[in-house]
Amino acid sequence: MSTLANQLAAAEREEVARAIRLLLARPLLTEIADPTGFELVRRRREPLAQWFDYTCGWSLVVEPRRGYARLTKVRADPDGSRPARRARSGRAPFDRRRYMLLCVTAAELLSMPMTTIGMLADRVVQATAADRALAAFDPVHKPERMAFVDVLKLLESYDVLRTVDGTTEAYVESAAAKVLYRVDTTLLMRLPAAPVGASRLAVPPDEVPARFEELLTALVRERRYGGAVVDGTADETHSESAATDAQRNLRLRHSVLRRLFDDPVLYRADLAEDELAYVTSLTGRQILRRSAEQAGFLLEERAEGFLLVDPDGIATDVRFPDDTSTARVAALLLLEPLCAAPAGMLPEQLAEAGAGLLRRFPRWARAYRSEDGAVRLSDDAVRVLRDVGLVRTAAGRVVACPAAYRYRLMEMTSPDPEREQGTGPRDTAGAVVSGGDAAQGDRR
């Protein structure tokens, strides 16, 4: 092979690896939001689709003319660690009300290539009033309009809604606000990632709360792995016997590699017995290492588990440590006492540690200066650590996971108090022992 051919092959491998990590962090990539990234994915879409299908069993759809690429991530064990977030209010996670409004709004938008915010709100009012399982939407009340705006802003961030005239935020102050939207109905239909449509689960609304976990499992069940489906839900009693060896191996490869490429860290203790046997087998280890290399990751393999490090930070949608919020700074500060307590810390001990931080930095964390501020600060910090796989809860205690020992607090600096008062340890530096950012993709 000539030198030029070698260079071209190397360039293609590098581009594919970069595009893989880009899509892991942003499963819905639009040309408007990232022209350079979209062009890279468009150009390498065939090897990308092959890699995602073989490695994780995820489908990639690239629509060059419509300007979007959609990677449909599916997990057998969905959780709420990465919820939809509001564009305002400190990016608070969506609550039940907002998720309900999101589903109803999306359904109404399917038949509306152009709409105004008022017309759309009226459609949502009618839809919720006609369904006894839903609480009626009442835009007369400001909290309802705020929830509706949060839903619309999320759809705008996906480029499903594009503002032609007016601003969505104006609706918060007045239900008479005039906003005109263009709707991309094709892209809207690409948003759901579940292999099974919710409408196929013929369950009376009254039974949904009691069977929620069962229904959630049924939504993400994939027929390619074998097993029976009865009345829209999985028949677990016959699933293993009905699956062939090839289907079981396919399920094991996808289940392990999905978690490896989608989570901050993959612990051996969290794997099922057959999954652990797969990753410790010769074939499983070879596939794991080759897949990580093809995606441009550095694979750290320890006695406790596996960690993918992205040297360029492309695949990292949530960074730790960072100083983007008080809770994240507190999370790094609380790692020290957590790592010093092998048996873990009780909520009362964590609250006292939070109170110690508030006393240590009297002009910092003003939002936590109420009577229950120390408890809220420790709870928010623990939530950050849990989301990035650094702590777990066991027997009522918060226990540091092995990956937590990668971090060590080296230095704390505060900005000039005359320049910016009240920030405290805003610029908190933590050392990552082995360097780099762990990959943590977005599960949208």
Side-chain angles (χ1 to χ4, degrees), residues 75 77 255-272 275 279 288 299-308 388-389 403 439:
R75 295 263 300 214
D77 53 344
S255 64
V256 170
L257 292 179
R258 284 174 179 180
R259 295 173 65 178
L260 181 66
F261 284 101
D262 206 29
D263 286 339
V265 62
L266 178 60
Y267 294 108
R268 295 177 189 267
D270 294 335
L271 295 174
E275 292 175 329
V279 297
L288 188 151
L299 175 64
E300 289 190 11
E301 185 174 354
R302 306 288 180 90
E304 301 85 4
F306 307 90
L307 176 71
L308 290 179
V388 294

Side-chain angles (χ1 to χ4, degrees), residues 85-88 94 98 101-102 104-106 108-109 115-121 124 137 144-163 167-172 179-181 183:
R85 294 190 177 275
R86 310 172 200 181
R88 50 181 191 80
F94 268 34
R98 284 167 171 79
L101 288 175
L102 174 60
V104 175
T105 300
E108 294 301 320
L109 285 172
T115 186
T116 65
I117 198 169
M119 291 173 58
L120 181 58
V124 174
F137 173 57
E144 288 280 81
R145 297 198 304 272
M146 292 173 65
F148 189 51
V149 165
D150 288 335
V151 167
L152 298 180
K153 294 298 293 182
L154 180 68
L155 293 173
E156 285 184 43
S157 71
Y158 296 156
D159 285 329
V160 168
L161 282 182
R162 296 179 187 174
T163 306
T167 59
T168 303
E169 292 84 351
Y171 190 73
V172 173
V179 188
L180 178 64
Y181 297 109
V183 185

Side-chain angles (χ1 to χ4, degrees), residues 239-318:
S239 61
E240 283 301 316
S241 60
T244 65
D245 289 342
Q247 289 173 323
R248 281 192 290 270
N249 288 332
L250 185 66
R251 177 184 61 81
L252 289 172
R253 182 172 79 229
H254 289 169
S255 64
V256 170
L257 292 179
R258 284 174 179 180
R259 295 173 65 178
L260 181 66
F261 284 101
D262 206 29
D263 286 339
V265 62
L266 178 60
Y267 294 108
R268 295 177 189 267
D270 294 335
L271 295 174
E273 185 177 346
D274 55 353
E275 292 175 329
L276 183 59
Y278 177 81
V279 297
T280 54
S281 68
L282 178 61
T283 300
R285 291 168 69 91
Q286 288 176 340
I287 292 176
L288 188 151
R289 292 174 179 175
R290 183 175 67 247
S291 299
E293 181 182 0
Q294 290 171 340
F297 287 107
L298 301 178
L299 175 64
E300 289 190 11
E301 185 174 354
R302 306 288 180 90
E304 301 85 4
F306 307 90
L307 176 71
L308 290 179
V309 176
D310 181 1
D312 303 313
I314 298 171
T316 307
D317 71 328
V318 177

